[in-house]
Amino acid sequence: MDESTNVLAWPTSPGHVTVRPLSSKSPCKVWLIRRESDQTYMVLKLSLTMEDVASLRQNPVTQSRKYVVDFYGTLATQLGDGLIMEYCPGGSIGDLVNSRGVFSLGECITALAPVAQTLSIMHAEGTRHGDISPANVLLTASGMPKIIDFQETASQAELVSGAGTPGFMAPEACPGGREQAAGEQDVYSLGACLWFLLSGKPPEQEILRPPVQVQFPTLPQIIQELLVESLDSDPGLRPSAEQFARTLFSSASAEPVRWEGHVSPEATHLMETVHPGTRVSSSRRGRKHAKAAGQQTKVDEPVDAWQDHPLRPTPGAMKLVGAAALGLLVVAGSLVGVNHLRAATASDATNEQTAAVEPSCRIDDVARVPACAMQQDTVVSAFLSLTQQRDRAMSKLSSGDLTAIYSSGSEQLKRDQETIATLRELGLRFEGLQTQLKNVSIKARGQGNTVVLSAESSQSQYHYVDRKGRQIHTAKATMAERIEIELVLSDRGWRIGNVLRH
């Protein structure tokens, strides 16, 4: 079953939220998780025995290397133990090239020179990486490179070759073969990575490869020579990793890697580098502006919208103004839930989809939960139906109806009930209350049978009406804003939990 839609098959661990799979393979072994104590994003890799051994080898490297992905230890999940490591939201430089095109020489310096420096230290200690490729060089939030995937790391006593990524392996690499000195094959891989970043494809075999001067006529001669020597079929003629780094640094000025528009939208807000069009007067100011540019612009809160709609003059208006002010503040506070949770779309297509899905996925026995109840489409449909029910319950001022759509202990239920009590005391009710949802998707997997949904929610215009049916106040439609909501699977089916973010 596809893990991207079957969210209840995602790994869970106390104190952590599973955000999404990071691999399209099934079964998926690599997941993005978030530690609840400090909201730190990390990568969980459900590991095998050999991967555990490789990570133990990686550990001493990460303790002293700035440009190696940090390894945090292991984490127990219901699917078995996994490795947890640093999350690099920029993704791999290979994915970046495939998405936006080739790198400039300055970007190549930023992406590869630190990697070459790190490898030179490893080689001096008699250790090689064994699988340097664009897929194994990731970008941090600040746009700096970090090496990952030390599965082929070997010491001087274990310099058996034959593993690596096709297109980036040295020609002498063969099963059972041995390196004469640690790092010869890593240097070839560095040269192949540089070729890839500049051309968009790995180098061909030497006999088929075009001359460097023909392939890259505008490159400085020193870089042309570096490519020729790094990709030499004779390992003894290749430069060292330290020489590779020094040559890159001396060839041109380093430039920030341009990732804007090509990093996953779910990770963009974590990135810190300067965006196009950002005016920078100093490096410190540039970092500040970059952080601001990386975040989504927040729309006005519903509380501000209330201030634009004073109550219309009516008998006893002063009393209503004072009382309604309290009521509106309560509603604004809870309907940061209404504006977020009341995400029901009124389209006939959505209603038909909900009606079609729910009967076949009804949970009649909690011990036998149908598989379709765990699918993303079913969860989203259930959420749409629940929010429509919530709109109707709030419009009828029915606390009893609300309890049927919330999970046990939901804080949002308490706020909604307080809102209803306040409106009853004021002799007011809602008329025309309706919320629209767009881009509803599952954001994360929480503890137990809990999932987190993300959506863009907007509120249509609605009225406050007194007992005689007179419109006392009109609230204008609100702009769409991004929200996150918990949904909990119980023996009654999916129920609304809490509002996590708005």
Side-chain angles (χ1 to χ4, degrees):
M1 188 175 291
D2 186 0
E3 287 93 343
S4 65
T5 59
N6 185 25
V7 292
L8 292 182
W10 294 11
T12 61
S13 182
H16 298 80
V17 171
T18 306
V19 179
R20 59 186 171 90
L22 290 177
S23 171
S24 59
K25 296 180 180 179
S26 184
C28 179
K29 293 184 180 181
V30 186
W31 301 82
L32 178 62
I33 64 175
R34 186 174 66 236
R35 188 164 55 201
E36 293 182 313
S37 60
D38 58 5
Q39 299 300 297
T40 297
Y41 287 88
M42 299 182 293
V43 173
L44 168 67
K45 186 174 183 180
L46 298 177
S47 58
L48 301 175
T49 303
M50 290 305 296
E51 292 168 338
D52 287 332
V53 173
S55 295
L56 293 176
R57 289 173 173 166
Q58 177 182 355
N59 194 37
V61 177
T62 60
Q63 299 304 316
S64 59
R65 308 291 184 268
K66 181 179 179 181
Y67 299 104
V68 174
V69 169
D70 288 333
F71 169 68
Y72 302 137
T74 60
L75 185 70
T77 76
Q78 91 281 18
L79 300 179
D81 291 345
L83 307 174
I84 48 175
M85 61 195 76
E86 177 184 7
Y87 173 50
C88 296
S92 75
I93 59 175
D95 288 340
L96 198 56
V97 168
N98 292 332
S99 174
R100 49 142 273 198
V102 300
F103 279 31
S104 67
L105 179 56
E107 290 177 304
C108 291
I109 296 171
T110 299
L112 288 184
V115 173
Q117 283 183 315
T118 302
L119 291 173
S120 71
I121 299 173
M122 294 176 59
H123 297 166
E125 296 173 349
T127 304
R128 63 171 167 83
H129 181 280
D131 191 13
I132 293 295
S133 70
N136 287 335
V137 178
L138 308 182
L139 293 179
T140 67
S142 60
M144 294 304 294
K146 285 214 172 186
I147 312 171
I148 198 172
D149 200 349
F150 281 70
Q151 291 188 118
E152 305 304 332
T153 303
S155 67
Q156 183 71 38
E158 304 172 305
L159 297 184
V160 176
S161 62
T165 300
F168 300 92
M169 296 168 55
E172 73 274 12
C174 60
R178 301 181 68 86
E179 281 188 319
Q180 296 299 315
E184 294 172 341
Q185 294 179 15
D186 280 348
V187 171
Y188 180 93
S189 298
L190 281 172
C193 287
L194 180 58
W195 185 290
F196 175 84
L197 293 182
L198 292 167
S199 68
K201 58 184 180 180
E204 297 177 297
Q205 298 177 15
E206 187 172 21
I207 192 173
L208 302 174
R209 192 184 309 152
V212 172
Q213 294 83 353
V214 175
Q215 181 73 30
F216 306 107
T218 61
L219 284 181
Q221 182 178 351
I222 191 173
I223 296 299
Q224 293 177 346
E225 293 174 353
L226 179 64
L227 284 168
V228 171
E229 294 173 359
S230 300
L231 297 173
D232 199 299
S233 58
D234 184 349
L237 297 180
R238 295 171 195 158
S240 67
E242 181 180 2
Q243 291 170 331
F244 190 100
R246 289 180 180 275
T247 302
L248 272 181
F249 276 129
S250 66
S251 65
S253 298
E255 300 173 357
V257 177
R258 294 179 293 104
W259 57 264
E260 297 83 4
H262 302 281
V263 168
S264 167
E266 297 173 339
T268 298
H269 70 286
L270 300 174
M271 299 295 287
E272 299 174 1
T273 53
V274 179
H275 287 227
T278 302
R279 300 181 63 181
V280 183
S281 59
S282 69
S283 59
R284 178 175 298 178
R285 183 178 177 185
R287 176 66 57 84
K288 180 178 179 182
H289 284 196
K291 288 183 178 180
Q295 298 173 349
Q296 292 183 350
T297 303
K298 190 174 183 179
V299 299
D300 294 336
E301 294 290 343
V303 176
D304 297 330
W306 292 116
Q307 299 172 358
D308 296 332
H309 310 288
L311 298 178
R312 295 167 58 186
T314 59
M318 292 304 296
K319 179 179 178 180
L320 279 174
V321 168
L326 171 63
L328 296 181
L329 286 175
V330 173
V331 172
S334 95
L335 295 193
V336 173
V338 170
N339 285 329
H340 301 67
L341 285 176
R342 277 193 260 111
T345 59
S347 66
D348 293 339
T350 301
N351 291 336
E352 292 174 1
Q353 179 186 18
T354 301
V357 172
E358 286 188 339
S360 61
C361 293
R362 182 174 181 178
I363 302 174
D364 297 317
D365 184 345
V366 70
R368 294 193 300 272
V369 178
C372 59
M374 304 178 186
Q375 294 298 307
Q376 177 168 279
D377 290 346
T378 304
V379 177
V380 171
S381 294
F383 172 61
L384 295 175
S385 176
L386 288 169
T387 50
Q388 287 176 342
Q389 295 175 46
R390 183 177 184 273
D391 274 342
R392 291 193 292 268
M394 295 297 291
S395 296
K396 295 191 301 181
L397 305 183
S398 175
S399 294
D401 289 349
L402 285 176
T403 59
I405 68 174
Y406 280 102
S407 63
S408 176
S410 171
E411 291 295 326
Q412 188 62 41
L413 172 60
K414 297 177 183 178
R415 288 193 289 268
D416 284 355
Q417 290 176 332
E418 290 173 358
T419 298
I420 287 176
T422 302
L423 290 174
R424 283 179 173 172
E425 182 179 347
L426 295 172
L428 300 174
R429 62 180 175 82
F430 293 126
E431 185 177 87
L433 191 63
Q434 189 177 41
T435 303
Q436 290 80 37
L437 254 193
K438 291 183 179 180
N439 301 324
V440 184
S441 63
I442 291 176
K443 181 76 173 178
R445 166 77 191 275
Q447 292 300 300
N449 291 339
T450 302
V451 297
V452 179
L453 286 90
S454 175
E456 294 177 7
S457 175
S458 60
Q459 183 65 55
S460 63
Q461 176 178 293
Y462 61 96
H463 312 284
Y464 282 84
V465 178
D466 65 13
R467 291 188 178 95
K468 295 183 178 180
R470 294 176 298 191
Q471 292 184 3
I472 304 301
H473 176 75
T474 298
K476 289 184 178 179
T478 62
M479 297 177 64
E481 55 185 338
R482 174 62 58 178
I483 52 131
E484 289 183 6
I485 304 116
E486 281 185 342
L487 238 63
V488 181
L489 183 62
S490 69
D491 57 351
R492 300 178 299 160
W494 288 103
R495 294 293 179 262
I496 297 173
N498 294 312
V499 178
L500 301 180
R501 189 180 74 180
H502 53 77

